[in-house]
Amino acid sequence: MVDFFSTLNPVTQALIGTLFTWGMTALGAALVFTTKTMNLKLFDGMLGFAGGVMIAASFWSLLSPALSMAESGTLPVWLPAAIGFLLGGVFLWGVDKIVPHLHPNSSLEDAEGLHPKRKRRSTLLVLAITLHNIPEGLAVGVAFGAVAAGFPSASLSGAIALAIGIGIQNFPEGVAVSMPLRREGMSRRKSFLYGQFSGMVEPIAAVIGVLAVTLIEPLLPFALSFAAGAMIFVVVEEVIPGSQENGNKDFASMCLMIGFTIMMILDVALG
């Protein structure tokens, strides 16, 4: 796989990586063709697992390389990572306040953003997961961009591992959109289409990330940290709380630990 990716330009690499992550979102959404409901304990465990993957990816695949890259600059090593990380969180916080959206398993009265009640519930659900997928696509894009820029701390196998990890945790995100819509009476086909649609933003965000860091290489430590901060905001604001709403806190927490461990192994072993 690494040999195949090495023959491609970074934009194509990022596109293939995020097409895989989008495909995993679609695979999760496709569960509506087999069932109308899902075991809540299993779903909470999947969300916890996804949170663990995202936390591990934020450090091992993004923050750690950003700190290594900053060593060759003139700024203090910690400064680009700190600035980028906080900006990523602030960016997602701002978008969260503006874009109307509804988290899975929430009532329409709990919708967030500007004028959310003017939107259909299905649209609000898709927008919620789409917001979460923006930093994931950026993360994959800047990871491949770092490889193209030739930084020693960035490796092609590490970027591939990041795409695989994000793809794995995208599976429950597809479920999180499609299942609630199916339970409310939407057809299986439409529930699937809405569910997989939320992953469409990842290839777009990945291309933006690649182009940004390959055209302006000094931005790379900031960009990696920005993606990490945005991902951590998503985990803390939605993924972890969502995994503990149904009384399965211990199970979801252990699944988070497993997800973190698997992503750490993927990144360290392959990167």
Side-chain angles (χ1 to χ4, degrees), residues 98-120:
I98 296 172
V99 177
H101 62 282
L102 177 67
H103 298 302
N105 300 322
S106 298
S107 63
L108 193 58
E109 288 71 27
D110 296 324
E112 301 175 13
L114 297 178
H115 313 299
K117 294 179 182 177
R118 298 180 185 177
K119 303 287 185 181
R120 296 174 59 186

Side-chain angles (χ1 to χ4, degrees), residues 181-243:
L181 296 178
R182 178 60 183 151
R183 285 197 300 268
E184 291 173 8
M186 185 175 285
S187 70
R188 286 186 172 91
R189 180 175 173 274
K190 284 188 176 180
S191 298
F192 166 74
L193 289 176
Y194 276 114
Q196 63 82 35
F197 182 77
S198 61
M200 188 181 297
V201 71
E202 290 196 4
I204 299 171
V207 171
I208 293 172
V210 169
L211 293 177
V213 299
T214 52
L215 295 176
I216 314 175
E217 287 186 17
L219 282 180
L220 191 48
F222 295 94
L224 287 167
S225 305
F226 181 94
M231 287 176 67
I232 291 296
F233 181 89
V234 168
V235 173
V236 176
E237 195 266 345
E238 171 58 22
V239 177
I240 292 178
S243 72

Side-chain angles (χ1 to χ4, degrees), residues 34-66:
T34 62
T35 180
K36 192 173 183 177
T37 60
M38 189 169 186
N39 182 282
L40 288 179
K41 185 173 183 179
L42 176 60
F43 181 68
D44 289 346
M46 291 168 63
L47 282 180
F49 181 90
V53 169
M54 293 175 74
I55 293 171
S58 295
F59 177 74
W60 296 100
S61 299
L62 300 171
L63 278 176
S64 182

Side-chain angles (χ1 to χ4, degrees), residues 148-170:
F151 283 90
S153 58
S155 70
L156 184 56
S157 54
I160 294 171
L162 176 63
I164 293 172
I166 288 178
I168 292 171
Q169 67 88 34
N170 271 6

Side-chain angles (χ1 to χ4, degrees), residues 4 33 116 121 127 225:
F4 167 72
F33 292 111
R121 179 178 176 84
L127 286 173
S225 305

Side-chain angles (χ1 to χ4, degrees), residues 2-24:
V2 175
D3 291 338
F4 167 72
F5 268 82
S6 64
T7 63
L8 307 174
N9 65 62
V11 172
T12 304
Q13 291 171 345
L15 278 175
I16 292 175
T18 47
L19 285 175
F20 167 74
T21 63
W22 181 9
M24 290 298 291

